[in-house]
Amino acid sequence: QKEFSIITENMQEGLLVIDRYTMVLSVNSSVGKLLKVKEVKTGESVYLLNRSEEFRGVVGQVLEGKHENKILRLDGSEIQVIANPVTRENKTEGAVILLVDVTEKVEREQLRREFSANVSHELKTPLTSISGIAEIMKNGIMLPADVPHFAGKIYDESQRLITLIGDIIKLSQLDEQSVPFAWEAVNLLELAKDVQKRLQPVCEKRKIAFQVTGAPCTVQGVRQVLDEMVYNISENAIKYNREAGSITVTTGYKEQHPFIRVTDTGIGIPKAEQERVFERFYRVDKSHSKAVGGTGLGLSIVKHGAILHHATIHLDSTEQVGTTIEILFTGNTEQEEQPEETA
């Protein structure tokens, strides 16, 4: 009994043993945590732990000698209830019930389904356009003067497909922690200046001022992933900025940890949407997002790149005022002799 108690009390899963009258014979402390009840006692009915119809149904079925496996939804948690009857001489004498918190598993499965549906939609749209134009050309109903225009459309849609597939591959590599690049010391200030140089033509078109400031700081990381992160945040700051607005990228140290911060004067993100902007394919303003283009995967790549580099992301945004996204590399302590940030 002592060994049994030591084993069950160290289980994350909840374990219940009940008799055929629904009375609790044995229970571990995880049951209370999972079912969110203050006190769990032996000798009382198992129905006192949870009075939901689903839970009562599981107990009723298992005491009739049937194996049961159901998901119990409880205050935002998903608890898997696995129940097996205990029989003696073909008669059910009780049951063993195992409770497992599968909230994260269910959420991941839901994200996978949404991701698959979104990928299918995003791939289908440009492919349908390419197929339609190709059919017109094949049937010979296109005027020679229209060929350059339609060829341009095919090129644009194919480039959109290439970019989307490239982003999906990057996300897959980050998800699996299988980024095929070497880790090295990367100067974030130099990286930000390089991104500024590449985005300068876009800024000039929209008369947006792009400024890079701060102190040199070094992180140990994958240069290509870090570049992608800074580029994606900066590109979004341009896309969702106002005409003649500004972007400021700042680098430095906070409590000996390197950081990079991108601040813009754009349209901002509503408070209710801020937790979701790093989800794959999530767009705050669907109509505006369609107009400015992109795959909808940029900030998701930023999020998974941060996870890879043991960094945290802080977002602060006010509608019609602007957005600030800061990445703090808490897993990096290497730094040059620089004063801490005072701004």
Side-chain angles (χ1 to χ4, degrees):
Q1 181 64 36
K2 188 176 180 182
E3 287 177 357
F4 177 76
S5 297
I6 290 169
I7 292 167
T8 57
E9 281 304 309
N10 283 282
M11 290 171 59
Q12 287 187 329
E13 299 80 11
L15 181 66
L16 277 165
V17 180
I18 62 173
D19 66 15
R20 58 181 167 175
Y21 304 109
T22 77
M23 297 302 165
V24 176
L25 301 177
S26 179
V27 58
N28 68 353
S29 58
S30 291
V31 170
K33 293 172 187 172
L34 293 171
L35 295 182
K36 297 178 173 61
V37 292
K38 290 181 180 178
E39 194 175 10
V40 182
K41 294 180 181 178
T42 57
E44 293 184 348
S45 174
V46 73
Y47 291 137
L48 294 176
L49 298 176
N50 188 280
R51 298 178 185 275
S52 69
E53 189 177 336
E54 292 89 350
F55 187 73
R56 293 174 69 88
V58 168
V59 174
Q61 289 293 306
V62 76
L63 290 179
E64 287 180 14
K66 299 172 184 174
H67 170 78
E68 277 292 297
N69 189 338
K70 284 191 176 177
I71 300 291
L72 186 68
R73 289 169 180 82
L74 191 68
D75 296 336
S77 298
E78 308 274 348
I79 309 299
Q80 185 176 16
V81 183
I82 305 164
N84 284 297
V86 176
T87 58
R88 185 186 298 159
E89 297 176 357
N90 296 323
K91 186 178 179 182
T92 302
E93 295 291 342
V96 176
I97 302 172
L98 190 69
L99 307 174
V100 185
D101 189 344
V102 293
T103 308
E104 189 176 339
K105 180 183 175 183
V106 170
E107 286 175 353
R108 283 182 175 274
E109 187 58 41
Q110 179 65 24
L111 284 173
R112 275 196 291 271
R113 283 197 294 268
E114 288 178 7
F115 183 61
S116 297
N118 282 323
V119 166
S120 301
H121 173 74
E122 294 289 336
L123 289 173
K124 186 178 178 182
T125 305
L127 282 172
T128 302
S129 179
I130 291 169
S131 177
I133 295 168
E135 187 178 5
I136 293 171
M137 296 176 78
K138 177 186 172 185
N139 293 334
I141 55 176
M142 184 183 294
L143 295 173
D146 293 331
V147 171
H149 169 71
F150 283 107
K153 292 283 283 181
I154 289 173
Y155 176 80
D156 290 342
E157 295 294 348
S158 62
Q159 287 301 304
R160 182 179 165 190
L161 274 174
I162 290 166
T163 304
L164 176 62
I165 291 165
D167 282 351
I168 291 168
I169 291 169
K170 287 170 201 164
L171 265 178
S172 176
Q173 289 172 339
L174 290 168
D175 265 348
E176 300 297 325
Q177 299 281 297
S178 60
V179 180
F181 306 112
W183 287 67
E184 58 182 296
V186 181
N187 186 316
L188 291 180
L189 185 62
E190 290 178 4
L191 188 74
K193 287 178 178 177
D194 183 56
V195 169
Q196 177 195 32
K197 194 182 298 181
R198 281 146 53 203
L199 287 171
Q200 198 59 45
V202 187
C203 289
E204 287 172 1
K205 278 185 184 178
R206 298 194 57 206
K207 299 175 183 175
I208 291 172
F210 194 142
Q211 181 185 15
V212 176
T213 185
C217 60
T218 304
V219 300
Q220 287 295 323
V222 180
R223 182 179 293 275
Q224 188 167 334
V225 175
L226 291 168
D227 181 271
E228 190 83 27
M229 291 165 68
V230 177
Y231 186 92
N232 285 345
I233 297 173
S234 302
E235 187 181 38
N236 268 13
I238 296 168
K239 284 180 183 177
Y240 299 100
N241 215 318
R242 55 182 171 79
E243 285 294 317
S246 67
I247 300 165
T248 303
V249 180
T250 308
T251 62
Y253 290 95
K254 268 187 176 180
E255 297 175 357
Q256 300 185 335
H257 296 300
F259 78 88
I260 186 163
R261 181 193 305 130
V262 180
T263 302
D264 66 56
T265 57
I267 60 174
I269 304 164
K271 201 79 176 172
E273 311 279 352
Q274 289 178 16
E275 287 186 10
R276 301 200 62 192
V277 292
F278 293 96
E279 292 178 16
R280 299 169 192 196
F281 294 111
Y282 188 79
R283 297 173 190 262
V284 176
D285 184 342
K286 309 293 189 291
S287 58
H288 189 69
S289 297
K290 190 174 180 181
V292 298
T295 63
L297 295 173
L299 287 183
S300 191
I301 290 172
V302 172
K303 173 187 170 182
H304 286 79
I307 292 169
L308 178 71
H309 289 89
H310 306 290
T312 56
I313 302 173
H314 177 73
L315 183 147
D316 183 32
S317 186
T318 304
E319 287 186 83
Q320 306 308 320
V321 175
T323 300
T324 296
I325 295 179
E326 181 181 279
I327 303 172
L328 182 66
F329 296 86
T330 52
N332 285 267
T333 54
E334 176 189 348
Q335 77 162 297
E336 301 159 19
E337 289 299 319
Q338 296 292 338
E340 288 191 12
E341 189 206 11
T342 54

